[in-house]
Amino acid sequence: MKDLLIETASGSYPVSVGRNIIDTKLLGKISELKPSSILIIADAAVQTLYGEQLLQALRKSYKTEVYVLPSGEEHKSFESFYDIQTYALKLGLDRKSLILAFGGGVIGDLAGFVAATYMRGIPFIQLPTTLLAHDSAVGGKVAINHPEGKNMIGAFYQPAGVIYDLAFLSTLPRNELRSGFAEVIKHGLIGNIDLFKQLAAGIYNLDDIDDEKLQHMIIEGIRVKAAVVKEDEKETGVRAHLNFGHTLGHAIEAEAGYGKISHGDGVAIGMLFAIWLSEKVNKKDLHYEKIKKWFKGLGFPIGVPHSLPTESLIIRMLKDKKSHSGTITMVLLNAIGEAGTSSFESDQLRSLLEKWRQEGSD
Ligand code: NAD
Ligand code: GLY
C-alpha cells in the first residue's frame, strides 16, 4: 500500500493505492469527514460487480443511497448531471453530505462536477476502478461533455481523497486496460523518461502488465501528475502539458460520437501525431517510427479513422480550451520526458495533419 499527497493551491489530499483497502482507508477517510449522509454515484458495470459489497460496508454506519449511471462516455452529459442533481435534491442531501464517485473517469468527472455544484459544493471522494483513472481521479478537473466539445462544462474541484483499490482492476476489459495505458505512457512521455523507457522496454503487449508493474505505473503516473498540479492547479501554464495527445484525441472522440472511440485510443492517436509534429518542429529524433510500431503491437489505433474529415477535426481543435484567437495550441515534446507548447495557424495545422494522414498513419 502506498500513500501519496496531492498538494494544490486550494488544498491537499491523500491518494492511497493498494489492494483491498476499501474497508480500512475509505472508512477511515469517511469517519474524518463525518458526513450526514452519503450518495454513491456508480458506473452500472462496477455497481453490478462490487456495489453490494460497498453498500453493505457503508450502511452499517451511514445513511447511504446509490445512483447508478449506465456505462459509457455518452452518459457524461448534461442530462445525467441534471438527473443526479434532481435525485440528490429529492433524497434531501444537505451541505454535510458526501458523494462517492465509484467507477472510471466518466463517473469521476461527472460525480465530481455534481459535487462541485450541488448547493455550491459538497465534499467527494474518488474510488477509481480503471487504469485510466490514475489520471482522471487526481488533480480536480471535473466536467461533462457537450456535443460541441469534450469537457466543455466543468470546474476545478479537488476531491477530499482518492482511494485506489487495485482489486477492482482485475475485471477491467482489455480495451479499457489499453485505454488507461495510453495515459500512463503520456505521463512518461511528458515528465518521466525512466518510466517511459521501462514501459517501452518491458511491455510489448497488455499481458505483460502484471500486478507489480500495474502498481508501479499507477504510482509513477500519479507522481508526474501531482508535480504538475502542485505547480499549476488551474492550468494557467504548465498544466497544459497534461493535455499531450488530447488536442487531436478529444476532437476524434467528439467527431466520432462519444463512446465510439475510447478516450485512451483517441489520446494514443493524438500522441502519435504530436510526436511526429514535434520531430518536424523541434528538429529532433524522438523515435516516432519505433513508438508507432510499439503502439500498433499494443493494439492502439495508429491513425485517424478515414471516416473523420481533417477539416471537421480542425474546426473542433479550434474550439479546444487551449486555443485562442484562431490559433491551435499543441503540446509537443522537446525531448522524451520534456513537453512544451506551440501554436499553429489553423491552415498550417490542417496541412500538417493532412500530410501525416497521407504518410500512412493507419
Ligand atoms: P469509463 O469511466 O467510461 O470506464 C471505462 C469502461 O470500463 C466502462 O464501460 C465501465 O463500465 C468499465 N469499468 C470501469 N471499471 C471497471 C471494472 N473495475 N471492471 C469492469 N469494468 C469496469 O472510462 P475511463 O477510461 O475510466 O475514463 C475516461 C474519461 O476520463 C473520459 O471522459 C475522459 O475525458 C476522462 N478523463 C478525465 C481526466 C481528468 O483529469 N479529469 C483525465 C483523463 C481522462
Ligand atoms: N488530463 C488533463 C489534466 O488533468 O489537466
Side-chain angles (χ1 to χ4, degrees):
M1 217 278 302
K2 182 93 191 157
D3 278 322
L4 300 163
L5 185 68
I6 308 301
E7 298 171 278
T8 73
S10 65
S12 302
Y13 54 94
V15 178
S16 303
V17 184
R19 278 188 178 271
N20 303 312
I21 57 173
I22 288 293
D23 283 350
T24 48
K25 284 289 174 180
L26 177 63
L27 294 180
K29 186 72 204 173
I30 295 177
S31 71
E32 279 171 30
L33 295 168
K34 298 186 184 50
S36 56
S37 63
I38 297 174
L39 174 62
I40 303 170
I41 301 176
D43 175 282
V46 173
Q47 179 64 19
T48 304
L49 288 162
Y50 308 107
E52 203 48 44
Q53 186 190 333
L54 178 65
L55 202 55
Q56 278 184 17
L58 295 174
R59 278 193 173 151
K60 283 184 193 149
S61 314
Y62 303 96
K63 185 170 168 275
T64 308
E65 296 298 335
V66 191
Y67 181 98
V68 180
L69 186 84
S71 305
E73 184 72 34
E74 63 275 30
H75 299 290
K76 202 174 107 176
S77 63
F78 184 77
E79 290 74 17
S80 306
F81 170 79
Y82 184 81
D83 274 1
I84 301 173
Q85 296 285 8
T86 305
Y87 186 74
L89 285 165
K90 287 190 172 163
L91 281 177
L93 256 63
D94 60 27
R95 279 200 160 149
K96 295 216 171 294
S97 297
L98 170 69
I99 286 178
L100 300 184
F102 192 31
V106 164
I107 288 288
D109 283 11
L110 172 65
F113 188 48
V114 170
T117 46
Y118 187 77
M119 294 191 173
R120 300 203 178 89
I122 62 173
F124 83 112
I125 294 176
Q126 292 268 18
L127 299 181
T129 65
T130 62
L131 174 58
L132 185 136
H134 84 278
D135 186 355
S136 59
V138 175
K141 274 192 180 176
V142 295
I144 51 175
N145 299 325
H146 190 282
E148 289 293 315
K150 275 272 294 178
N151 300 332
M152 284 296 172
I153 301 160
F156 290 97
Y157 191 69
Q158 303 294 341
V162 182
I163 317 291
Y164 208 144
D165 194 327
L166 302 178
F168 295 134
L169 269 61
S170 60
T171 49
L172 200 59
R174 206 177 164 77
N175 60 326
E176 297 302 340
L177 185 67
R178 184 178 76 224
S179 176
F181 191 48
E183 295 282 21
V184 179
I185 296 170
K186 176 197 79 178
H187 283 128
L189 283 169
I190 64 166
N192 184 338
I193 186 171
D194 292 336
L195 173 64
F196 179 77
K197 282 183 177 165
Q198 286 158 12
L199 300 175
I203 297 173
Y204 300 107
N205 79 60
L206 298 172
D207 295 328
D208 295 331
I209 305 178
D210 60 20
D211 283 358
E212 197 185 325
K213 284 182 181 150
L214 187 67
Q215 177 152 345
H216 176 72
M217 66 176 74
I218 286 172
I219 290 168
E220 291 310 312
I222 292 175
R223 280 194 215 279
V224 172
K225 182 147 194 184
V228 172
V229 167
K230 182 175 181 179
E231 197 180 327
D232 176 23
E233 180 186 12
K234 301 214 167 147
E235 200 166 321
T236 53
V238 75
R239 186 163 182 169
H241 296 178
L242 293 172
N243 234 240
F244 180 63
H246 286 59
T247 320
L248 178 59
H250 277 168
I252 291 171
E253 274 188 271
E255 187 62 22
Y258 296 121
K260 296 281 188 295
I261 291 178
S262 75
H263 180 69
D265 280 357
V267 169
I269 301 167
M271 289 195 291
L272 282 179
F273 175 55
I275 296 168
W276 178 88
L277 194 56
S278 304
E279 287 196 338
K280 297 251 167 312
V281 171
N282 295 329
K283 311 216 178 324
K284 295 247 173 81
D285 179 8
L286 297 167
H287 312 291
Y288 167 74
E289 288 298 339
K290 234 168 133 177
I291 294 173
K292 181 170 130 180
K293 208 167 146 206
W294 181 46
F295 275 27
K296 194 170 183 179
L298 288 163
F300 286 116
I302 54 164
V304 176
H306 294 299
S307 56
L308 307 182
T310 298
E311 180 59 22
S312 309
L313 296 170
I314 291 292
I315 290 169
R316 290 200 177 268
M317 289 160 89
L318 275 165
K319 289 185 197 159
D320 180 88
K321 293 189 277 320
K322 299 184 299 308
S323 296
H324 53 84
S325 320
T327 64
I328 299 170
T329 302
M330 294 288 294
V331 183
L332 299 183
L333 295 182
N334 303 323
I336 303 281
E338 198 191 308
T341 53
S342 294
S343 289
F344 295 84
E345 295 297 331
S346 57
D347 286 348
Q348 187 191 8
L349 198 68
R350 186 186 298 103
S351 309
L352 287 159
L353 180 54
E354 200 49 53
K355 185 167 191 302
W356 178 64
R357 294 184 74 172
Q358 280 165 6
E359 276 184 15
S361 56
D362 55 20

